[in-house]
Amino acid sequence: MWYRNYQLYWCKSWRCHWSIRKRRNSQKTWILTNKYSFKRSDRIADLIFREISNLVQTQVKDPRLENSVITKVEMSENMKIAKIFYRNLISSSDQVELEKGFKKASGFLRSSLARNLSLKRVPSLIFIFDELNIYD
């Protein structure tokens, strides 16, 4: 059988979690690796998190968003909607003003994502206030 020469092992590389190794003579090995061990939507969410965090801190000039921080990005399975969770570092009493600021900046952020990321379709951005009190 073909699978007698293969051995499943834990790969220590950052590229994969599991790999299949084919033994050939005892010295040479072929490694067939799974390059991505998590979903594409998770990888895109991570890219969007980095990009939007950078844009909010450097390029958005709205004074309402000065002390805001992006905490998490969740993508839908079909990658059409990105839920972006944000938090204000100083006080949580300005939640309405933050919501208005992100709603106004969402067009700029989406167009900047389209320019900076090489995606076929840029997801629509939904901003949600993060209720967790990990900073307080």
Side-chain angles (χ1 to χ4, degrees):
M1 303 224 117
W2 67 271
Y3 55 83
R4 286 184 184 165
N5 295 331
Y6 289 85
Q7 178 185 4
L8 188 66
Y9 75 104
W10 179 256
C11 181
K12 294 180 182 177
S13 170
W14 62 272
R15 294 181 179 186
C16 65
H17 285 280
W18 292 98
S19 296
I20 298 175
R21 187 187 271 184
K22 182 174 182 180
R23 294 187 178 232
R24 193 175 192 194
N25 294 337
S26 69
Q27 290 146 356
K28 297 180 182 177
T29 57
W30 292 349
I31 299 176
L32 308 172
T33 60
N34 181 5
K35 196 172 187 181
Y36 304 109
S37 62
F38 46 94
K39 295 181 185 176
R40 185 169 193 268
S41 60
D42 294 339
R43 296 192 308 267
I44 299 296
D46 188 43
L47 281 175
I48 290 175
F49 174 78
R50 290 182 198 170
E51 193 64 34
I52 287 192
S53 297
N54 186 24
L55 288 171
V56 167
Q57 296 299 320
T58 58
Q59 293 186 6
V60 174
K61 296 176 183 168
D62 194 344
R64 296 176 284 195
L65 305 180
E66 264 181 5
N67 300 314
S68 62
V69 173
I70 305 298
T71 56
K72 181 172 58 169
V73 174
E74 290 179 356
M75 292 286 293
S76 63
E77 291 298 320
N78 59 2
M79 293 188 295
K80 289 186 178 182
I81 298 172
K83 293 180 185 176
I84 300 168
F85 294 88
Y86 61 90
R87 181 111 177 112
N88 193 356
L89 286 178
I90 294 178
S91 67
S92 60
S93 62
D94 301 334
Q95 182 178 351
V96 176
E97 291 298 318
L98 271 174
E99 188 176 337
K100 288 179 185 176
F102 274 114
K103 193 170 189 177
K104 188 167 183 174
S106 66
F108 168 73
L109 292 172
R110 190 166 185 229
S111 64
S112 297
L113 282 177
R115 260 184 276 129
N116 297 338
L117 301 179
S118 58
L119 296 175
K120 190 172 186 177
R121 291 182 196 94
V122 177
S124 59
L125 307 176
I126 298 174
F127 291 95
I128 301 170
F129 185 76
D130 196 3
E131 297 292 334
L132 295 176
N133 293 325
I134 57 173
Y135 299 112
D136 294 340

